[in-house]
């Protein structure tokens, strides 16, 4: 008996290779139940700067590819740092390419901000995703502060409270699809 896997597009807001945010997404993709298939999007740096003049019937190829990945995913998971009390420009730019679409409308979404502080960046992420009409709630969002002291170079989470918070987050995210 076969079943169709639930497809999740995971987006790291950090463009740094092997960032803490990427490591959290890897952890989640390994911890998530077998009925989920997680694809970690690694093309954030390829998306051109948002330009409304190019947001036409035929936008740039990398934008089309990004939008198609969102459209074909059953859900989206974003894990981002905070840069200068805001979202990283590359993530905000990618999300701006989605404003003229309904790609995120009612799309089941999980949101994590993992940073030194992260409060303001997390607020902005929630506001942007609410504007895009993404489907998330208090149990499918998570702020991880002091991230550098909670995960090591190998991607092992070294803080027990963070492990528990992530497990709760993943369970709540999965339950959106399984209930």
């Amino acid at each position: 008996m076969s079943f169709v896997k639930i497809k999740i597009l995971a987006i790291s807001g950090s463009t740094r290779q092997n960032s803490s945010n990427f490591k959290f997404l890897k952890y989640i993709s390994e911890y998530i139940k077998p009925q989920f298939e997680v694809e970690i999007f690694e093309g954030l740096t390829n998306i051109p700067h948002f330009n409304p003049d190019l947001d036409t019937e035929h936008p740039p190829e990398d934008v089309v590819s990004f939008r198609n990945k969102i459209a074909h995913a059953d859900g989206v998971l974003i894990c981002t740092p905070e840069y200068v009390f805001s979202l990283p420009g590359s993530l905000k730019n990618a999300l701006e390419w989605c404003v003229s679409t309904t790609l995120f409308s009612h799309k089941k979404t999980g949101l994590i901000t993992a940073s030194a502080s992260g409060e303001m960046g997390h607020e902005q992420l929630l506001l942007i995703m609410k504007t895009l009409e993404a489907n998330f709630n208090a149990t499918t969002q998570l702020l991880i502060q002091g991230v550098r002291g909670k995960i090591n170079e190998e991607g092992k989470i070294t803080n027990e409270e963070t492990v528990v918070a992530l497990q709760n987050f993943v369970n709540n995210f999965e339950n959106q699809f399984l209930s």
Side-chain angles (χ1 to χ4, degrees), residues 54 68 85 120 141 156 163:
L54 299 177
N68 284 339
F85 306 106
M120 295 179 82
Q141 59 171 293
K156 181 176 178 359
V163 170

Side-chain angles (χ1 to χ4, degrees), residues 51-122:
N51 180 342
D53 291 336
L54 299 177
D55 195 9
T56 63
E57 203 171 302
H58 303 287
E61 187 176 317
D62 287 321
V63 172
V64 171
S65 175
F66 178 64
R67 287 176 172 176
N68 284 339
K69 287 183 182 296
I70 295 168
H72 292 105
D74 298 304
V76 175
L77 179 59
I78 297 174
C79 186
T80 185
E82 174 186 81
Y83 290 166
V84 195
F85 306 106
S86 185
L87 288 182
S90 54
L91 176 61
K92 186 168 185 310
N93 177 63
L95 295 173
E96 285 174 345
W97 280 105
C98 298
V99 170
S100 66
T101 73
T102 58
L103 290 170
F104 277 103
S105 292
H106 313 291
K107 178 86 57 177
K108 293 173 180 162
T109 305
L111 304 171
I112 301 173
T113 304
S115 202
S117 172
E119 288 178 12
M120 295 179 82
H122 194 63

Side-chain angles (χ1 to χ4, degrees), residues 124-139:
Q124 290 180 12
L125 179 62
L126 299 180
L127 179 61
I128 289 168
M129 298 313 292
K130 183 176 180 180
T131 301
L132 293 175
E133 299 180 330
N135 181 0
F136 65 94
N137 60 47
T139 68

